[in-house]
Amino acid sequence: MQKIQLLLVLPVFLILFSLFSFLATKSAYAQVCTPGNLYCVDNTHKATCNQFGTGYNPPLTPCASGQVCLGAGFCVTPCASSANCTQSTAICTAFGGTAPPIVNGNSSDWCDKITYHSFPYCCSVAPCSGVYWCVNNLAYTTAPSGSNCVSTGVRAPAADYLCTGGGAANLTINLSGASSATFTSANHNLGNCNNIFDGPANFTVNGSRVCSGIPIGDPGGNTRVVPVSPSGVTSWSCGTVPPGGICNSSNGTVYVPAGQSMTITANYGTPPADPKGFHDSSTCSVINGWTCDPDNYNLPLSVHFYEGPGFTTFVGATTANVTREAAVGAECGGNSAHGFNFTPPASLFDGNQHAIYAYPINIDASGNPTGNNPPLGGTPKTLGPCGYSASGLVYVDKDNNGSFDAAIDSPYSGEASSIVICQGNQPNGCATPYETLTTSTANGTFTTDGTTPLVPGSYTLLLSLPAGYQAVSPRPPIALITVGGAGSGYTCSPAANCDANGNVQNINFGIANSFPWMQVTGGDATGQYISDPTTTTRGGFADPIPENPAYTTPYVLLPGSGGTPGLLAAGSGTIDLGELGGQVSGPAWNWTVGGFSGYSYNLPTSGATKTSYGNLNYIVKQSHLATTSLTNLAGCSNLANCRLPASFPAGTTIFTADGDVTISNPTSYVFPTDSKYVFLINGKLNIKTKILVPNGSFVLFSSSDDINIDPSVGESNLQYACQPSTVAGGISSHCDLEGYYSTDKSFNLESYDSSGTGQNCSTGNSDLKLNAAGSIVVNAVTSNNGSLSYQTRSLCTGNVGSPVFTVAERPDFILSYPTFLMTTRRYWQEVAP
């Protein structure tokens, strides 16, 4: 039970009362007899006024011995003398001593028994000297008039209120937070009796006054209502009552004569306690802390957040129901589930700092809000500057497939690289970067550092490639993103990389210094689909040449036996030789064809090259040329395991096969000298052995489907290049595949990694370098959309020193070309008849 002690010192206020003259005679009462009302017939008897209002109905009711009838039929016991009267001697003297003021013997005030009650006859009888009329708990200096004496009359000055009423709960004085209050003639009124127990304990009253209950309605226009809550006073009592003083907790009356003092003690129930807790932090990701209310530790509190003091701008709200450490439980009655974690809204992600205030919603024991919500301990906490984040990884893409695979690829841990962030879509960079990030030299990661947070919107990230590296994905190394969460006005993208808060993650840049690449010696190279009339963008040529390869020069085309390189035909597409300075054929030549809109390589209306399976098969049949089934050769009866024989028919022979053919000689196969062979294969051609053609001989394989080169075919020593023999009947050195190879679809260099994910590099099992000599024709039938797939085979780290695929010229093949495959050229001239 909480107690507050109040010390009242009230100076003299002399009240003289004169006994009403109408108390002594019956006739005074008869003048105002109202049917049904109870009145005093004489000093000691009371009766009810008859229905005519002219007399009283017997029998008379006598007062008890020693009592007198007062006013409207009240029987009370008068003071025997001033010694045992609770009023001051001065008041008793006003009644002549022999007729002391009428009291009930239990410290009840005289005014409480006479003037507090509105007697019907009060309108026609003047009050005693110095006494005010009390009507509806209000004091008047003149008698009110009208029905029940409440409509008119002159109000007593506010400083001279003397009426009482109300109960203990209304006996309060509001000090409005001041340390003391002084009642003077200017401010001593019932308004100063508000909320006596809500403020500090000490106050002083100048002038003898009765502090009593608050009127419910004030005709003067000042309406005051004093609730029991929030004062929380359950009872009050007085200390020693000085002579002439009054302390009546039943009706709320306190009176202290001049020069006297009296202590008032207010007894409270358990008042609602303020919440406790702490605002731990405000970060761009979470605003957290803990709070609980001692009135009810089992109920989680709502916590409201504002930007700025005094409830300036509402930010949001959450519930403190997150389990925290044991120390919180110790503060919250053993219940640790009073933590809160609030995610800052998008409105705060503007790149500025914000002072965040946390206010727990105060409750009482029943969980009802009290309306008093003090700020949480530790508040405010500065948030920001906040924005959105972009993060990702620069990694070495060992399998060159454009995606990060932790089992194969590795984070780039070389020298730090910079990533420039430009606002908006600016793939060519910006004069003033929004922010420049640096990759971690430990694990290749990068993230916006928070000093310059990303406000909602679109951004372009441009990676500066480390020395010796090229972009795998994206290529070029540029990423376009949009950051922004709910309420920001922007939709985060790419969606697959966005978290729930609108940040972009896993912006990964795949780089490599080890790309599979190709090289041609003495011949031409053409881009993909340059002869396809159905495509709008024909051609293009991509060959990611490394910087300064160890075993060759960084060119696509090398000079042949004639001393000059060939041509690179790119059609209307672009030529991409990587970011490390690779060239077409060196500064002396760099000969290219195409690179402009509308370029095309004209084909027959059939849309097939002359070497396509269908075209050659047509020529053979139209020419009635003899053919031999490949299954008639010894060792090739089973096309799925065809081992070419040591002896072949001499001369020019055309072999046919219906179905897939796999050449699987256990060792390198060398065709006979001075011979010409054409293989027309209506299916796939799978080659699992080296095929060599002596100088002066000719071999052509034309397949209606793919040509696949087994990974076992090739060179393990990367410094070796194919050296065709220039001697008749001579055998080339370091060559793996010689002849003309035409596929209606794709020419595929298979890898030891059958999955195509580059796992051979992660295990150290590098592929072999394939050295070819002659000619490779891919996509002989343009509608098949075939391709030259050499990048499926990788030399792993060896890619930086050598191409994985080379093609060397064989001029002797041109001289040995079968006649039926040659184009007839006709020249005509008109001569006179």
Side-chain angles (χ1 to χ4, degrees), residues 765-814:
N765 188 20
S766 172
D767 283 320
L768 301 179
K769 174 183 178 181
L770 181 68
N771 291 331
S775 181
I776 309 295
V777 179
V778 177
N779 199 44
V781 177
T782 58
S783 60
N784 288 332
N785 293 326
S787 64
L788 173 60
S789 300
Y790 67 88
Q791 290 185 327
T792 54
R793 183 178 288 201
S794 176
L795 304 180
C796 302
T797 57
N799 289 327
V800 298
S802 172
V804 71
F805 179 47
T806 66
V807 181
E809 63 180 349
R810 283 289 302 265
D812 61 299
F813 284 167
I814 298 175

Side-chain angles (χ1 to χ4, degrees), residues 642-734:
C642 175
R643 297 189 175 189
L644 298 175
S647 61
F648 261 79
T652 300
T653 306
I654 301 173
F655 294 97
T656 62
D658 287 321
D660 296 344
V661 175
T662 299
I663 299 177
S664 57
N665 292 63
T667 59
S668 300
Y669 182 80
V670 181
F671 277 94
T673 59
D674 296 324
S675 299
K676 301 176 184 180
Y677 303 102
V678 175
F679 294 84
L680 301 180
I681 300 172
N682 188 20
K684 293 180 180 180
L685 173 59
N686 303 309
I687 300 176
K688 294 187 175 184
T689 188
K690 290 183 179 182
I691 296 178
L692 303 178
V693 180
N695 185 291
S697 294
F698 177 88
V699 173
L700 183 152
F701 288 91
S702 180
S703 170
S704 66
D705 208 312
D706 293 339
I707 296 179
N708 304 311
I709 311 302
D710 191 79
S712 63
V713 180
E715 301 291 317
S716 60
N717 193 327
L718 303 184
Q719 62 180 325
Y720 292 149
C722 179
Q723 299 293 328
S725 174
T726 59
V727 178
I731 304 301
S732 304
S733 61
H734 307 300

Side-chain angles (χ1 to χ4, degrees), residues 574-654:
T574 59
I575 297 173
D576 180 4
L577 303 182
E579 294 93 357
L580 301 180
Q583 299 182 42
V584 172
S585 53
W589 300 286
N590 283 332
W591 294 332
T592 62
V593 177
F596 52 87
S597 177
Y599 174 91
S600 66
Y601 181 87
N602 294 324
L603 288 173
T605 56
S606 63
T609 66
K610 290 183 178 180
T611 59
S612 70
Y613 169 82
N615 189 50
L616 293 179
N617 191 47
Y618 174 79
I619 292 174
V620 169
K621 289 182 177 181
Q622 287 293 102
S623 301
H624 302 287
L625 299 176
T627 62
T628 299
S629 173
L630 187 59
T631 57
N632 292 335
L633 285 177
C636 289
S637 59
N638 179 9
L639 295 179
N641 186 22
C642 175
R643 297 189 175 189
L644 298 175
S647 61
F648 261 79
T652 300
T653 306
I654 301 173

Side-chain angles (χ1 to χ4, degrees), residues 244-260:
I246 299 176
C247 177
N248 190 339
S249 61
S250 63
N251 62 19
T253 302
V254 173
Y255 175 74
V256 181
Q260 302 295 325

Side-chain angles (χ1 to χ4, degrees), residues 99-194:
I102 303 171
V103 296
N104 61 10
N106 293 314
S107 301
S108 182
D109 188 9
W110 178 85
C111 190
D112 183 49
K113 289 302 182 183
I114 295 181
T115 59
Y116 177 73
H117 301 283
S118 302
F119 301 148
Y121 60 80
C122 69
C123 294
S124 60
V125 180
C128 302
S129 174
V131 178
Y132 301 122
W133 297 103
C134 290
V135 180
N136 286 355
N137 213 17
L138 301 174
Y140 291 82
T141 56
T142 60
S145 61
S147 174
N148 293 326
C149 310
V150 298
S151 60
T152 62
V154 179
R155 289 282 306 280
D160 294 327
Y161 279 14
L162 189 61
C163 297
T164 63
N170 288 333
L171 181 60
T172 54
I173 294 178
N174 183 9
L175 298 180
S176 301
S179 59
S180 63
T182 302
F183 295 164
T184 65
S185 60
N187 66 12
H188 184 125
N189 54 50
L190 291 180
N192 298 115
C193 291
N194 291 347

Side-chain angles (χ1 to χ4, degrees), residues 461-482:
L461 281 69
L462 303 97
L463 170 67
S464 296
L465 288 167
Y469 283 81
Q470 302 187 60
V472 179
S473 177
R475 184 178 178 92
I478 299 171
L480 180 64
I481 65 169
T482 300

Side-chain angles (χ1 to χ4, degrees), residues 279-303:
H279 182 176
D280 291 338
S281 66
S282 292
T283 68
C284 297
S285 58
V286 66
I287 299 172
N288 63 359
W290 64 274
T291 183
C292 57
D293 198 311
D295 295 308
N296 193 330
Y297 285 128
N298 291 324
L299 292 180
L301 299 182
S302 178
V303 184

